[in-house]
Amino acid sequence: MRLLTREALLSFRRAPLLSTLSVTTIAFSLFTIGLFGLVAINLREALRGLEERVEIVAFVLRGTPAETITLASQDIAAFPEVQDVNFVTEQQALARARAELVEFKDAYRDLQVNPLPASIEVRMKQGQRDAATVDRVAERLRGFGFVDDVRYGREWVQRLDQLRNVTGLVGLVIGLAFAAVAVVIIGVTIRLTILQRAREISIMRLVGATNWFVRGPFLLEGAIKGFLGGLLSLLLCYAGYLLFHDNGGGPFGGLIFFGPQQMLLILVFGVLLGLGGSLVSVGRHLRHV
Amino acid sequence: MIRFSHVYKSYPNGALALKDVTFRVSKGEFVFLTGHSGAGKSTIMKLLFAEQRPTAGEVRVSGYIANSLKADEVPKLRRRLGVVFQDFRLLEDRTAGENIAFALEVTGARTDTIAARVMRVLTQVGLSAKSRAYPRELSGGEQQRVAIARALVNDPAILVADEPTGNLDERATRGVFQLLRDINAGGTVVVMATHDLDLVRQTNYRTIELREGSVVYDSAVDEADTVGAQ
Ligand SMILES: Nc1ncnc2c1ncn2[C@@H]1O[C@H](COP(=O)(O)OP(=O)(O)OP(=O)(O)O)[C@@H](O)[C@H]1O
Ligand SMILES: [Mg+2]
């Protein structure tokens, strides 16, 4: 065990440049994935706030009897996608308008006839707020005879959805490209170490070292590099996060960072990356020694 | 201990290194392998410690059948053999003692026993005072003794030596050879390939001579025949 760790750590001294390069590429790979991941989780957070407010408003034809609307409201409330339904009468709509639009207070007070229609406000359940579901429910609302028009923030729901998906995807693609580069560089480092140590390895074999014993230090070396790369990427991500977060107040005021589970995931991914790179290279090159 | 039955060995480049080689080595024997350069001596050695597999025929070493050895059995076989080469194969960046300890560390020996075992074999080869010397600080004969000590440290049943005196002057050769004889006297089988016919003639150990991959003389078989014919 001591021999194993000693050999693994020695590689940093034997090939300091390449080892640093391996760690840095792993860090960049995970940094890219991490950065886009941060944007994605913050977008998701932002969306969650906005989605709270996702509601469909169905305007009711003038003169519809109150009972019809009440019954319909109960029907709508029973839709599996719907969280709650709120009926706003013409008077309530007017009162709201007066309260919210202070500038027009006078205009509304002098009105003889209330110009505002009654409406049914429908809020969607959590997890049902994506564009497709909202579309479907809106369509069903249109089916009621007394419904004049249906409005909802369909456009931006869709766009935010897309934005989030695209961000995640772009991050993943760039991150994976970096990951591939990292695997190649780790492979080259290990190939070099194996060539450097060919004599030592052949002597190890001669005196009866098992294959895993010979491989062990290389795999450990890869795993350590992966771990260091993961750690470095988290630091970089955190630096990036602070850069925006510290401006406070502004549009980025409420930014969040990875939770402990997500950080662990990044570290694990780094270790796997390093391990994978060395496993491939060790398998290929050790055979020829 | 060792049994070759109709062994053929051809290398990937087409060279046929061994042709129908059959012999058997029993407990306690000392065997010389002789023959011209390229006759196949080293190939027999490589088959013994499973660096190469026979193309046809069967190689048995210390209870293992080398033909069908699984990857995880090769190290087990090698721990029961000691192997010594002409070029010593010591690690330059380690002292004599560390080189020997390396063979124990690599096989997962208990750390607290290593120092004592290293000292024991160093004493056996007469180098207990040179434990801290690096290979470059040792003479060829001394380096070969360190290599032999490393081969002995796992208490092998068989010691395989491929021209162990090939790089040594006469005096060092005599010393190393005497050491191998002592080891054999202790019960270890020794198989030694050599060009040095003087060495072979000095003793009446069994001799197997190869020519172009075939056994052309085996003192154990041919002398028995000669005696029988008379
Ligand atoms: N790895 C190899 N690949 C291809 N051919 C080989 C290989 N090793 C040995 N040979 C060939 O096999 C034949 C026997 O070689 P081997 O090394 O066994 O001879 P040797 O008796 O040990 O010779 P020497 O006394 O010079 O050491 C030679 O013709 C050699 O060219
Ligand atoms: Mg040879």
Side-chain angles (χ1 to χ4, degrees):
Chain A
M1 204 54 214
R2 275 223 321 265
L3 188 73
L4 184 78
T5 26
R6 193 178 66 207
E7 290 299 327
L9 292 176
L10 261 179
S11 88
F12 288 91
R13 216 182 325 146
R14 288 198 180 102
L17 216 67
L18 270 174
S19 295
T20 315
L21 198 61
S22 321
V23 172
T24 333
T25 26
I26 292 181
F28 266 110
S29 154
L30 295 174
F31 176 54
T32 321
I33 295 178
L35 211 57
F36 281 88
L38 266 184
V39 172
I41 63 171
N42 277 294
L43 265 180
R44 192 180 64 196
E45 207 54 32
L47 275 178
R48 193 175 291 155
L50 286 173
E51 278 173 352
E52 278 302 311
R53 284 180 258 154
V54 168
E55 48 180 37
I56 308 172
V57 182
F59 293 102
V60 176
L61 282 175
R62 204 167 286 277
T64 309
E67 308 91 84
T68 318
I69 297 173
T70 317
L71 279 173
S73 295
Q74 280 165 8
D75 274 0
I76 297 166
F79 286 5
E81 303 92 340
V82 168
Q83 183 169 312
D84 54 45
V85 178
N86 185 26
F87 175 46
V88 182
T89 62
E90 292 163 16
Q91 287 75 28
Q92 282 168 338
L94 186 62
R96 238 196 235 171
R98 279 185 179 142
E100 285 174 11
L101 308 167
V102 190
E103 303 85 348
F104 301 107
K105 211 172 170 179
D106 293 337
Y108 279 120
R109 193 185 47 209
D110 296 339
L111 284 174
Q112 299 300 310
V113 186
N114 183 355
L116 297 175
S119 62
I120 301 174
E121 294 174 355
V122 177
R123 283 211 302 153
M124 305 290 285
K125 274 187 189 151
Q126 203 172 347
Q128 304 284 354
R129 290 170 186 155
D130 57 290
T133 314
V134 172
D135 246 359
R136 207 168 55 237
V137 172
E139 207 46 52
R140 285 175 74 179
L141 291 182
R142 265 196 202 97
F144 286 99
F146 57 83
V147 169
D148 184 23
D149 192 13
V150 176
R151 298 238 179 102
Y152 58 98
R154 172 186 167 173
E155 288 275 294
W156 60 258
V157 168
Q158 256 175 354
R159 222 171 270 161
L160 282 179
D161 254 5
Q162 279 170 356
L163 188 61
R164 191 176 62 187
N165 289 341
V166 166
T167 313
L169 204 68
V170 168
L172 205 63
V173 168
I174 300 182
L176 286 182
F178 268 115
V181 174
V183 165
V184 169
I185 291 183
I186 291 178
V188 171
T189 321
I190 282 177
R191 196 180 114 92
L192 235 78
T193 324
I194 289 178
L195 286 179
Q196 254 175 4
R197 299 183 49 213
R199 210 177 124 78
E200 194 177 342
I201 290 169
S202 72
I203 291 174
M204 271 182 161
R205 288 232 168 109
L206 200 64
V207 295
T210 60
N211 274 333
W212 283 111
F213 189 91
V214 177
R215 281 180 205 148
F218 292 107
L219 299 187
L220 189 63
E221 175 189 331
I224 290 176
K225 283 177 183 166
F227 184 78
L228 289 179
L231 221 52
L232 190 58
S233 79
L234 279 181
L235 279 178
L236 288 174
C237 281
Y238 196 67
Y241 162 77
L242 285 184
L243 208 65
F244 286 100
H245 184 257
D246 258 359
N247 290 344
F252 301 115
L255 282 187
I256 54 167
F257 194 63
F258 297 120
Q261 273 182 345
Q262 287 156 324
M263 292 199 264
L264 195 68
L265 196 72
I266 289 185
L267 286 181
V268 167
F269 194 58
V271 169
L272 288 182
L273 212 60
L275 214 54
S278 34
L279 205 60
V280 169
S281 175
V282 162
R284 245 206 338 238
H285 300 296
L286 221 45
R287 231 177 293 143
H288 306 299
V289 173
Chain B
M1 295 304 277
I2 299 173
R3 202 167 83 192
F4 275 55
S5 315
H6 306 289
V7 172
Y8 289 78
K9 174 66 193 178
S10 53
Y11 285 103
N13 65 359
L16 187 59
L18 293 181
K19 285 173 231 162
D20 196 18
V21 170
T22 299
F23 66 90
R24 168 199 290 256
V25 178
S26 326
K27 266 206 179 92
E29 274 196 274
F30 191 118
V31 182
F32 280 121
L33 278 181
T34 62
H36 293 295
S37 183
K41 302 181 295 294
S42 296
T43 302
I44 287 185
M45 300 297 190
K46 285 175 191 163
L47 291 172
L48 284 175
F49 60 87
E51 188 180 305
Q52 294 288 345
R53 304 292 168 97
T55 311
E58 188 183 76
V59 174
R60 279 174 182 269
V61 183
S62 185
Y64 291 92
I65 299 175
N67 302 49
S68 54
L69 226 46
K70 293 198 201 78
D72 63 325
E73 286 176 328
V74 174
K76 287 187 193 153
L77 167 64
R78 291 190 182 165
R79 288 173 196 193
R80 300 176 67 165
L81 299 179
V83 188
V84 177
F85 297 95
Q86 181 171 357
D87 58 357
F88 321 135
R89 305 212 183 163
L90 298 174
L91 294 169
E92 301 299 327
D93 58 346
R94 288 171 210 246
T95 64
E98 287 166 353
N99 263 286
I100 299 166
F102 185 66
L104 286 171
E105 286 167 359
V106 148
T107 52
R110 280 184 41 198
T111 325
D112 53 345
T113 65
I114 289 180
R117 290 172 71 179
V118 168
M119 218 45 221
R120 179 174 61 78
V121 286
L122 268 176
T123 309
Q124 192 179 348
V125 301
L127 285 177
S128 52
K130 303 276 187 174
S131 169
R132 287 166 196 277
Y134 285 91
R136 61 172 181 280
E137 299 164 350
L138 297 171
S139 73
E142 287 169 336
Q143 290 187 51
Q144 191 61 295
R145 283 163 183 274
V146 174
I148 292 172
R150 181 182 62 194
L152 289 179
V153 78
N154 276 312
D155 294 319
I158 303 171
L159 186 70
V160 176
D162 193 352
E163 303 191 31
T165 60
N167 279 353
L168 305 180
D169 66 17
E170 211 188 307
R171 209 168 136 250
T173 294
R174 257 184 284 134
V176 164
F177 183 50
Q178 188 54 49
L179 180 58
L180 293 178
R181 294 181 68 172
D182 293 343
I183 290 164
N184 174 244
T188 308
V189 171
V190 177
V191 180
M192 172 173 168
T194 185
H195 279 127
D196 190 341
L197 294 181
D198 285 342
L199 219 55
V200 176
R201 284 190 209 105
Q202 258 178 47
T203 59
N204 54 357
Y205 287 142
R206 176 176 171 192
T207 305
I208 296 175
E209 191 186 335
L210 293 165
R211 192 174 299 155
E212 289 173 5
S214 301
V215 175
V216 292
Y217 174 76
D218 182 344
S219 60
V221 178
D222 298 319
E223 273 170 23
D225 284 357
T226 328
V227 173
Q230 279 171 355

